[in-house]
Amino acid sequence: MRAIALDEFGDVDVMTLRELPDPPVGPDTVRIRVRAVGVNPVDHGIRAGYLEGAYPHHFPLIPGWDVAGIVDRVGPAVTRFAPGDEVMAYARKESVQAGTYAELVSVNERAVAHVPASMTLVQAGGLPLAGLTALQALSAIGVSHGDVVLVHAAAGGVGHLAVQIARAVGAARVIGTASPANHDFIRSLGAEPIEYGDDLPKRLADLVGGDGRVDAAADFHGGEALTQSPSLVRHPVRHCSVVDTAVKEQGGRYVFVRPDGAELSTLGALAANGRLRVHVSREFPFTEAAAAHRLIADGHVKGKLVLTVD
C-alpha cells in the first residue's frame, strides 16, 4: 500500500510518500480501504515527537488516528461489519506506528461505526476524534437538558461539534468563544458567540445575567481559557479541559478521548437526523499532508481539515 510515513521526528518534510506492507487482519479487526482522514493537532504533535513520552513509537511511523472508508476485509470473529460497508473509526492504538495516512488501515471492531447514508465519507473522516472528544467532554461535566454551557474555541474542530452536541442533548443555551470573524459561523451552529480575552468574565456576565456564571464549561483551547473557567461556572467540577491536566488542580475534569464505536454510532445518528454537521473547511490529497500540517499548526482552522485518498 501507499502511505505517508516518517523515519524520525521533525518538521513536515520528514513525512514522505512510500510503499509499505499492507496491514494484517486479526481475528477481531476490520481492514478499511481509506477514503478520508481527519487531520488533527495531535498529528502535528506526533510528527514532532511531542507524544514520545506517552506512547511507544516505532518507525517507519504512519501518522493519523481518524479514518473513513470502505471495509476491505474482516477477521473471523467480526460480526457487525462486512466487506463493502462504509465505516469510520477513531483508530488510536496502544503504540504509535500504524496510523491512517495510508491506503489501508486495520482497526479493532470495537472502535468502528457505520457511516450514515446522509454523510459523505469526507465528512465522516473528520468526525471520529473531534466528535468523540466533544461528546466525552460534555458527558464528563454532565451537560444535559436546561443547562447553560460555555464552549471555549467553539469554531474549531472539536468546539464546533461540541456546540451542536450540547444543543442536541438539550442545553438551553450554548455560548461559544471565538474571534469576531467566526461569530456568524457560531450562530449558524445554534450558539451565541462571545469574544475571548481578558474581558470574557464581564462579557459573559452581561450576556447571561444573574450571577454571571454558567452551568458547565468545556475548554478546547487551554491557556487563558483554562485560567478563567473556574470562575465562570457555579461548581468547579462542571468544567473540563482536553488540553491541560492542570484543570484537575482547579477541581475540574481532564478528558482524554478514548476510541468507542458505540459512541461514534451515536454521533452518526445525530448526523443522520440533521442535528450534527461536520464542517470541512478544506480538503487535501493525502499526498499533500505536509500542507495540511502547516495549516493545522497555525491553530486557526475553522472546523476540520481532511485528507482524501483515491
Side-chain angles (χ1 to χ4, degrees), residues 20 33 64 77 107 109 125 147 157 167 170 172 175 180 211 269 276 297-298 308:
L20 290 173
R33 187 161 295 279
V107 186
E109 179 183 22
D147 280 339
R167 292 303 306 269
I175 300 164
D211 64 4
L276 183 66
D298 182 56
T308 56

Side-chain angles (χ1 to χ4, degrees), residues 213-216 230 232-239 251:
R213 292 181 290 180
V214 297
D215 297 305
L232 305 180
V233 292
R234 295 187 177 89
H235 302 288
V237 73
R238 296 201 68 194
H239 85 285

Side-chain angles (χ1 to χ4, degrees), residues 167-255:
R167 292 303 306 269
V169 300
R173 296 175 69 181
V174 181
I175 300 164
T177 68
S179 63
N182 286 324
H183 282 193
D184 284 345
F185 177 59
I186 300 302
R187 292 187 187 97
S188 76
L189 301 173
E192 303 168 59
I194 189 169
E195 191 172 357
Y196 51 77
D198 292 342
D199 293 335
L200 175 61
K202 182 181 183 303
R203 284 194 293 270
L204 184 66
D206 292 341
L207 186 62
V208 301
D211 64 4
R213 292 181 290 180
V214 297
D215 297 305
D219 166 37
F220 304 123
H221 186 270
E224 185 180 45
L226 179 61
T227 303
Q228 292 170 331
S229 283
S231 67
L232 305 180
V233 292
R234 295 187 177 89
H235 302 288
V237 73
R238 296 201 68 194
H239 85 285
C240 71
S241 177
V242 305
V243 180
D244 195 333
T245 59
V247 68
K248 298 176 68 175
E249 299 168 11
Q250 301 171 335
R253 297 285 303 276
Y254 174 67
V255 177

Side-chain angles (χ1 to χ4, degrees), residues 63-135:
W65 283 343
D66 271 345
V67 62
I70 312 297
V71 174
D72 173 68
R73 287 180 57 190
V74 299
V78 172
T79 60
R80 296 186 298 114
F81 304 98
D85 288 353
E86 292 192 350
V87 296
M88 54 186 169
Y90 172 40
R92 176 169 63 82
K93 301 178 175 71
E94 298 304 314
S95 62
V96 179
Q97 182 179 29
T100 58
Y101 290 21
E103 292 179 320
L104 292 167
V105 61
S106 287
V107 186
N108 190 285
E109 179 183 22
R110 63 176 176 269
V112 182
H114 288 98
V115 175
S118 59
M119 288 188 80
T120 67
L121 286 175
V122 170
Q123 292 169 328
L127 179 61
L129 187 154
L132 287 172
T133 300
L135 181 65

Side-chain angles (χ1 to χ4, degrees), residues 37-52:
V37 176
V39 179
N40 297 289
V42 71
D43 300 350
H44 158 75
I46 286 171
R47 188 207 72 237
Y50 298 158
L51 271 68
E52 190 176 10

